[in-house]
Amino acid sequence: MTEADIDAVSAVRVRGWQTAYRGLMPQAYLDAMSVAADAGQRRSWFGRRPPEVSDLVAERDGEVVGWACVGPARDPDIAPGAGELPAPKPTAGELLALYVAPGLIGTGIGRALMAAGTARARAHGFHTLYLWVVRGNTRAQRFYERAGFVPDGAEEAYDVGGSSVPELRYRRALTPEP
């Protein structure tokens, strides 16, 4: 991903949220999501991201149709020593995002992004890859389970537009590539 991809990535992300989370999050929140606002936040963060964070895009006919982001795991229970200085090199990674243009779900773009993200996680030295999925997002849960992820029992909720949205944590061991 380059800085020039940010607007397209934000469009994929916002449309992805509006499609995947219909009925799982407040509709007013989803309707109010703005590609321009998301792109502004993404631009602010893009130049400051740590080197262990990889943003990847999938393109079709020169257009961004998918985005994935992988980096060090953020949860304290799986990232021991993260608060220490100097922090130890993380061994757990996290799939921070994976979105495909809604009309192209099921075409292999998500699998390609997952493969590229997993390869990048291995290259960063991560032995395990975690992710969070909104409870009730059965399509995503099936996708991740087919990719070898299993729920690890952790659950967490966060506030979205005044509603509590529960998430489930999944994990997958990363074996070294042959």
Side-chain angles (χ1 to χ4, degrees):
M1 176 176 162
T2 68
E3 196 165 355
D5 295 324
I6 289 175
D7 290 325
V9 163
S10 289
V12 167
R13 182 181 174 276
V14 167
R15 301 300 174 250
W17 268 62
Q18 290 171 330
T19 301
Y21 302 137
R22 184 174 311 281
L24 300 174
M25 294 185 182
Q27 191 60 44
Y29 179 86
L30 296 173
D31 292 343
M33 291 182 76
S34 158
V35 172
D38 188 84
Q41 290 175 335
R42 202 149 309 291
R43 252 185 214 86
S44 162
W45 184 78
F46 190 77
R48 297 180 292 122
R49 65 188 175 169
E52 309 80 39
V53 173
S54 296
D55 284 288
L56 308 165
V57 295
E59 293 182 344
R60 181 176 275 180
D61 299 325
E63 264 186 68
V64 172
V65 295
W67 166 64
C69 182
V70 64
R74 299 171 292 169
D75 297 329
D77 64 321
I78 56 175
E84 299 172 16
L85 291 177
K89 182 173 176 12
T91 60
E94 184 173 345
L95 179 65
L96 301 162
L98 194 154
Y99 293 95
V100 173
L104 296 173
I105 291 172
T107 63
I109 295 166
R111 288 187 302 277
L113 283 168
M114 177 64 76
T118 301
R120 196 61 64 97
R122 281 189 190 102
H124 286 303
F126 302 142
H127 302 292
T128 308
L129 192 60
Y130 290 85
L131 61 86
W132 287 93
V133 63
V134 171
R135 182 189 293 155
N137 187 351
T138 54
R139 177 184 268 176
Q141 289 173 274
R142 282 192 309 265
F143 173 81
Y144 294 128
E145 288 166 4
R146 281 193 306 266
F149 287 84
V150 294
D152 75 353
E155 293 188 34
E156 197 170 273
Y158 65 102
D159 180 77
V160 176
S163 292
S164 181
V165 175
E167 287 189 306
L168 309 171
R169 190 171 67 193
Y170 279 64
R171 70 169 183 73
R172 174 185 165 190
L174 296 180
T175 55
E177 286 191 297

